[in-house]
Amino acid sequence: MSHFFRHILIFGSRSLTSLGLLSLGFLTFPAYAKYTDIFTQHQIDLSFNVNQPVLIADILPQAGAELVVVGVDDKQQRMLAIYFFDTQSNTFIKQDKINIADNVFAYDVGEPQHDGLQRLYLLDKSMVHRYVPAHLSHESAWVNGETVSSMYLSDKAESFREMDFIQDLNNDGLDDIVLPHFEQLNLWLSDCCGARHPQNLPIAARIEINQSSVSYDDQELYFQDMDQDGKTDLVTVEQGQLSVFAQNDSMQFSLIPTKIKIDKSIYAVDWWDMKGPDGQEMDQSNIQHRVVRAIDDFNGDGIPDIALQFTKSSGVLDKTIDFEFFYGALKEGKLSYSEQASTNITSEDTLSNLTFLDRDMDGKQEVSVSSFDIGISQIVGALLSGSIDQDVLIFSMNENNQFGKEPLVSQEVEITFSLSSGTRGQPLVKMIDINGDAVKDIVYSDGDDLIRTVLATPDQKKPYAGRSLRQKIAMPKNPYDAATEDLNGDGKTDVVLHHGSADSPELLKRVLVLIAN
């Protein structure tokens, strides 16, 4: 029972990120509502099975963003394809299809460079490769971008996935590389001439020793301007303090971190990843544990804040989880945090899945959380029905930057899962601007063949329209990880979906693109 509870708890906190916005489905929509062409549907049929969410990036010189599609063909050859939207033919055209070598285990795109375009990169054991698109008579190519070293030492990668190893760390508009090593963090920082300069920071990987194995995990990194000098600093969390590696005028990072004191009950890792002095997992009969979930400016004052998850437990089936927010303050020019939370979100049930939203892009963040009640009857019911009921709650700040005790809206949602196959069904739920008015609307799937949109009403008292728009669309069974971006440059956000293991095998080679009308 304890193992199953932990499975449900971690499942709820890690797997439901996309569901927070479904709470706004509290509006009741009449069954006789007419269908509306919210999106124009486009279908891309590929020669390989798509096994990851489609990545949207602007890597080609023509207008609009491109689709980076990754998967494996019938011979288990890993593939990467690039598609762009051709406005003249109103179709998606394949720009490139690339075989991925067995020693390559990750890909990433950087931030827009000085020419406004992003770069696509591959990572293997010792090299970062950069994609160069075809131009005139020159075919596309992969060029060596940088010789690197990291704790990823395998000569044959078991998987190929997106990884966040490319960032603009020093604010110069050029891509930098960041990779963890066992005893340090390795950086390659770009300069104005395009060269990269290596730097090592004393940030060791987290080690976990078991009876018959040793594993390493990279530390969570946060990138914020912690000293208010206009430069991005690198931040790690330790028990009771933040370690800030400040960026200097030479666009390098200090080797000796500045320590910012926070409450001693605050940790960098979740309680289930912590071991006691005897190497055993934590005793769940007495947990008082705070873990950092995000470091960002939540209240719009330009100063980094801290969001925490606070877990209290007196037993496996007696856990409460709250979320606490510590607003940063400048005292004599230095950043500090109080010992008491500035505001919090609490519930009698267990909370999970902290998600930040900015509906009207005013700098103040709305918060979505999931709430569920776990007990013997709930566990038995989940085993029998193959589903978990959750209440999704949305909170907003008042004029004093406080979250209210009661949520703005609350709605029960159901997540389906199969313990035998390992598949789960989570609906598409996105807050995106589909009509170009700079205020985010709500788009969500309703079953396997319907998509709904609730338009924002920025000039009215109610935040959203009282009736949804509906469109008949054959949806994937697990569309929660859809990609969203403005693909054709019209100021409206589009949606890209792929099929997965819960769908029919013949659909795995298909990508569905919904262009907002």
Side-chain angles (χ1 to χ4, degrees):
M1 189 66 68
S2 171
H3 176 78
F4 180 75
F5 170 81
R6 181 180 174 189
H7 169 82
I8 294 297
L9 180 62
I10 296 176
F11 176 89
S13 61
R14 293 182 178 176
S15 302
L16 305 177
T17 300
S18 64
L19 300 177
L21 301 179
L22 194 57
S23 54
L24 292 177
F26 73 102
L27 300 171
T28 301
F29 307 110
Y32 55 81
K34 295 180 179 179
Y35 293 111
T36 303
D37 289 333
I38 309 167
F39 299 97
T40 297
Q41 300 182 59
H42 295 268
Q43 180 177 304
I44 303 175
D45 291 316
L46 300 103
S47 61
F48 58 87
N49 291 344
V50 181
N51 60 9
Q52 295 186 42
V54 177
L55 178 64
I56 301 175
D58 191 2
I59 57 179
L60 300 179
Q62 55 255 39
E66 289 75 50
L67 308 181
V68 179
V69 189
V70 171
V72 294
D73 66 12
D74 296 336
K75 297 181 179 179
Q76 296 305 302
Q77 169 65 54
R78 293 181 296 177
M79 309 293 297
L80 184 150
I82 301 172
Y83 283 79
F84 68 92
F85 185 71
D86 180 52
T87 55
Q88 292 185 348
S89 62
N90 199 36
T91 59
F92 280 88
I93 296 177
K94 182 175 65 179
Q95 168 74 17
D96 215 339
K97 187 175 74 170
I98 304 156
N99 290 2
I100 302 299
D102 289 342
N103 66 324
V104 175
F105 56 85
Y107 62 98
D108 194 16
V109 295
E111 295 296 320
Q113 303 293 280
H114 295 311
D115 59 3
L117 299 178
Q118 298 169 271
R119 306 302 192 257
L120 174 64
Y121 299 89
L122 298 181
L123 175 65
D124 63 30
K125 172 183 174 180
S126 58
M127 181 67 65
V128 170
H129 308 266
R130 179 171 56 84
Y131 175 74
V132 178
H135 180 66
L136 298 177
S137 61
H138 298 282
E139 296 183 353
S140 63
W142 291 96
V143 299
N144 292 342
E146 191 69 46
T147 301
V148 296
S149 61
S150 71
M151 65 182 186
Y152 309 120
L153 298 178
S154 176
D155 289 317
K156 185 175 182 179
E158 294 184 357
S159 62
F160 177 58
R161 63 185 180 87
E162 183 184 0
M163 181 187 297
D164 191 16
F165 61 92
I166 299 293
Q167 297 190 37
D168 180 10
L169 298 178
N170 52 10
N171 310 115
D172 62 353
L174 299 171
D175 288 332
D176 307 307
I177 302 171
V178 52
L179 288 169
H181 215 304
F182 298 108
E183 297 182 325
Q184 63 195 26
L185 183 73
N186 291 340
L187 308 176
W188 290 265
L189 303 173
S190 299
D191 63 16
C192 60
C193 300
R196 290 190 178 93
H197 304 278
Q199 184 181 14
N200 305 323
L201 296 181
I203 302 175
R206 185 170 61 87
I207 184 172
E208 181 175 339
I209 302 176
N210 298 309
Q211 289 184 348
S212 59
S213 65
V214 177
S215 62
Y216 292 85
D217 196 4
D218 52 329
Q219 288 201 43
E220 190 74 34
L221 305 175
Y222 302 92
F223 302 94
Q224 294 290 324
D225 181 6
M226 303 295 283
D227 51 15
Q228 301 294 290
D229 65 350
K231 304 182 184 68
T232 299
D233 307 311
L234 195 155
V235 186
T236 62
V237 179
E238 302 172 31
Q239 181 183 359
Q241 66 182 15
L242 304 179
S243 293
V244 179
F245 296 85
Q247 185 180 162
N248 58 34
D249 292 336
S250 300
M251 296 185 180
Q252 297 278 308
F253 292 89
S254 60
L255 298 179
I256 300 176
T258 300
K259 304 293 185 178
I260 298 179
K261 182 180 178 181
I262 55 179
D263 191 272
K264 289 185 177 181
S265 65
I266 299 175
Y267 294 84
V269 296
D270 290 295
W271 59 266
W272 55 77
D273 288 327
M274 297 180 63
K275 300 290 182 66
D278 57 357
Q280 301 299 313
E281 295 182 355
M282 289 183 64
D283 180 3
Q284 296 188 42
S285 65
N286 185 23
I287 294 178
Q288 298 276 326
H289 181 79
R290 289 178 168 89
V291 61
V292 173
R293 282 287 176 251
I295 300 177
D296 205 345
D297 177 19
F298 305 123
N299 58 0
D301 64 356
I303 302 174
D305 310 309
I306 305 175
L308 307 175
Q309 178 173 306
F310 179 30
T311 302
K312 295 171 289 185
S313 172
S314 58
V316 174
L317 298 180
D318 185 17
K319 282 187 175 67
T320 61
I321 296 177
D322 301 331
F323 291 105
E324 300 178 333
F325 304 85
F326 290 73
Y327 294 148
L330 295 177
K331 295 182 178 180
E332 298 180 353
K334 295 185 177 181
L335 180 61
S336 65
Y337 298 92
S338 65
E339 295 182 357
Q340 300 295 323
S342 306
T343 185
N344 61 12
I345 293 174
T346 64
S347 173
E348 294 181 357
D349 294 329
T350 299
L351 299 179
S352 68
N353 182 35
L354 179 67
T355 306
F356 294 96
L357 320 165
D358 190 356
R359 173 184 174 269
D360 51 5
M361 291 171 277
D362 63 351
K364 283 193 175 184
Q365 302 290 314
E366 286 77 40
V367 167
S368 169
V369 298
S370 298
S371 171
F372 58 97
D373 181 18
I374 289 293
I376 296 296
S377 61
Q378 286 78 18
I379 291 175
V380 173
L383 284 171
L384 294 175
S385 66
S387 64
I388 303 172
D389 290 331
Q390 292 200 353
D391 290 322
V392 183
L393 317 172
I394 288 186
F395 295 83
S396 66
M397 295 182 189
N398 60 22
E399 62 276 7
N400 297 319
N401 297 327
Q402 298 291 300
F403 289 108
K405 293 184 178 180
E406 298 296 328
L408 291 178
V409 291
S410 174
Q411 175 67 29
E412 185 176 279
V413 298
E414 183 178 83
I415 314 305
T416 61
F417 65 93
S418 171
L419 293 180
S420 59
S421 66
T423 61
R424 62 182 182 269
Q426 301 181 39
L428 165 73
V429 185
K430 296 291 183 179
M431 180 177 276
I432 55 178
D433 179 15
I434 67 163
N435 57 5
D437 65 354
V439 181
K440 294 178 181 177
D441 313 297
I442 302 163
V443 177
Y444 63 98
S445 57
D446 185 357
D448 294 341
D449 61 353
L450 198 65
I451 193 168
R452 291 182 181 268
T453 296
V454 186
L455 295 176
T457 55
D459 298 326
Q460 301 180 27
K461 292 182 179 180
K462 292 183 178 182
Y464 289 94
R467 177 179 295 182
S468 70
L469 304 176
R470 308 188 309 161
Q471 183 174 358
K472 282 279 189 180
I473 294 177
M475 299 291 292
K477 295 186 181 299
N478 194 27
Y480 76 100
D481 58 0
T484 59
E485 192 65 65
D486 179 8
L487 293 174
N488 55 1
D490 64 355
K492 304 173 184 178
T493 305
D494 312 305
V495 180
V496 183
L497 302 136
H498 74 100
H499 296 81
S501 57
D503 297 294
S504 301
E506 61 270 16
L507 296 176
L508 299 181
K509 293 182 171 66
R510 181 172 298 169
V511 169
L512 181 64
V513 184
L514 307 180
I515 301 294
N517 292 328

